[in-house]
Amino acid sequence: MLIPRIITAVVLLAILAVLLSLKDSFYFATFVSLASAGALFEWLRISLNHPHKSLLAAVIGIVGFAVFVGLYSLLLPSEGSHIVLALSHPVEFQANPWATVAFATLITISFFVSFVWIFIVPMVLYQAKTEVTANSIFHSIFAVFAVLVTWFSIVMCYTFLGAWFLLSFLIIIWCADIFAYFGGRFFGGSKLAPAISPGKTRSGALCGIASVAVWMLLSSFIDGSFAALLVQYIGLLGAVAVGMAMAVVSIFGDLYESLLKRRAGIKDSSQLLPGHGGVWDRLDSVISVSPIAMIFVFLFYLQ
């Protein structure tokens, strides 16, 4: 199981590296749109309470892909700074009215989705209601908003701050995931959430969080990184604390997906990615953390 997992990860990283190296961001945005639509389809196929939920999820996923591509065309023909300036400058707003409204709306939704991940989802996880039953409509509605702002966050971070900034942020999630996996296998110990995901341990979670703290410390000295941006405004300790908090939220995202899958009585969101399961299985933590990163970008960079 580990070998297919590593091979799939290497292939995905290679694709990501090629797309990020291209001058035209359209190809990267299209890839992100496709991945986001796939994750939305898998999420809704699990959470919807409908006799034809797979078909309905597929339709929503296709519509979602079209919306993502349309938003890219709407938001990016103009300079990103114009969109931001238009939030408070009437002249700029008149030049980019629809793009400005879309940008402001997506930022607002990002705050809402981040609030849900930080405060509401932990309460859902604490209750740990894993009975095989139909999921609440809340989870399906939340899926649409969460995936939408994830697409927005990734594409905008890349557009405004570049490939290295985006990678430095994604490495936070990868560190939390990889070190939690191997730390848990090495140290073992008590389970983190036995009713939801019996394979996860507290020692693994601590290893993942600790690895993120180290990454934030190291990357803070590299210009253009996510940590370096935070250090300019909240200092080194603040940046490390934010990184560790984001690692915790990434764990929430992983456990939240596990909870919905357990309720649905399935193991993986799909079998599309060998060793990883489905697209949502691979992006669950990215979906939970990306909106928070975008909020910091908006507050500290796009001001």
Side-chain angles (χ1 to χ4, degrees), residues 220-240:
S220 67
F221 297 100
I222 305 176
D223 290 340
S225 69
F226 178 69
L229 174 66
L230 295 182
V231 168
Q232 293 180 38
Y233 295 91
I234 58 177
L236 181 58
L237 291 180
V240 172

Side-chain angles (χ1 to χ4, degrees), residues 15-29 158 163:
I15 294 173
L16 182 63
V18 171
L19 292 173
L20 290 176
S21 67
L22 298 176
K23 292 183 178 180
D24 191 343
S25 63
F26 171 78
Y27 301 103
F28 173 72
Y158 173 64

Side-chain angles (χ1 to χ4, degrees), residues 3-260:
I3 299 300
R5 186 181 182 90
I6 293 175
I7 293 174
T8 301
V10 170
V11 171
L12 291 175
L13 286 173
I15 294 173
L16 182 63
V18 171
L19 292 173
L20 290 176
S21 67
L22 298 176
K23 292 183 178 180
D24 191 343
S25 63
F26 171 78
Y27 301 103
F28 173 72
T30 301
F31 176 76
V32 175
S33 299
L34 187 61
S36 299
L40 180 60
F41 161 70
E42 293 177 355
W43 186 335
L44 291 175
R45 191 176 60 171
I46 292 172
S47 63
L48 281 172
N49 181 21
H50 191 276
H52 304 291
K53 59 183 181 181
S54 293
L55 177 60
L56 182 57
V59 171
I60 296 174
I62 293 171
V63 172
F65 176 77
V67 169
F68 298 144
V69 174
L71 282 172
Y72 172 83
S73 301
L74 176 65
L75 291 173
L76 296 185
S78 302
E79 292 291 334
S81 59
H82 288 177
I83 295 174
V84 177
L85 284 173
L87 296 175
S88 57
H89 291 70
V91 174
E92 296 291 346
F93 176 78
Q94 291 175 8
N96 306 275
W98 293 109
T100 305
V101 170
F103 186 88
T105 300
L106 289 168
I107 284 292
T108 303
I109 297 174
S110 296
F111 276 93
F112 165 73
V113 169
S114 298
F115 176 84
V116 173
W117 281 121
I118 295 171
F119 297 104
I120 305 300
V121 168
M123 291 190 290
V124 174
L125 296 175
Y126 179 77
Q127 294 175 352
K129 295 181 179 180
T130 59
E131 297 83 3
V132 179
T133 183
N135 284 304
S136 166
I137 188 63
F138 161 81
H139 300 288
S140 298
I141 295 174
F142 181 55
V144 175
F145 288 115
V147 174
L148 174 62
V149 296
T150 297
W151 173 90
F152 171 69
S153 302
I154 292 175
V155 172
M156 290 299 106
C157 283
Y158 173 64
T159 300
F160 285 119
L161 290 158
W164 163 236
F165 180 88
L166 178 62
L167 286 174
S168 69
F169 151 65
L170 292 176
I171 290 173
I172 294 174
I173 301 167
W174 298 337
C175 281
D177 184 33
I178 294 171
F179 282 89
Y181 177 79
F182 287 105
R185 287 173 64 92
F186 182 80
F187 293 106
S190 57
K191 304 298 182 181
L192 179 64
I196 299 174
S197 183
K200 293 180 174 58
T201 62
R202 294 182 180 179
S203 62
L206 291 174
C207 287
I209 295 170
S211 71
V212 170
V214 173
W215 169 247
M216 293 296 286
L217 179 63
L218 295 176
S219 63
S220 67
F221 297 100
I222 305 176
D223 290 340
S225 69
F226 178 69
L229 174 66
L230 295 182
V231 168
Q232 293 180 38
Y233 295 91
I234 58 177
L236 181 58
L237 291 180
V240 172
V242 167
M244 294 173 70
M246 293 174 75
V248 173
V249 176
S250 76
I251 296 172
F252 291 163
D254 194 351
L255 289 175
Y256 175 77
E257 187 205 5
S258 297
L259 176 63
L260 295 194

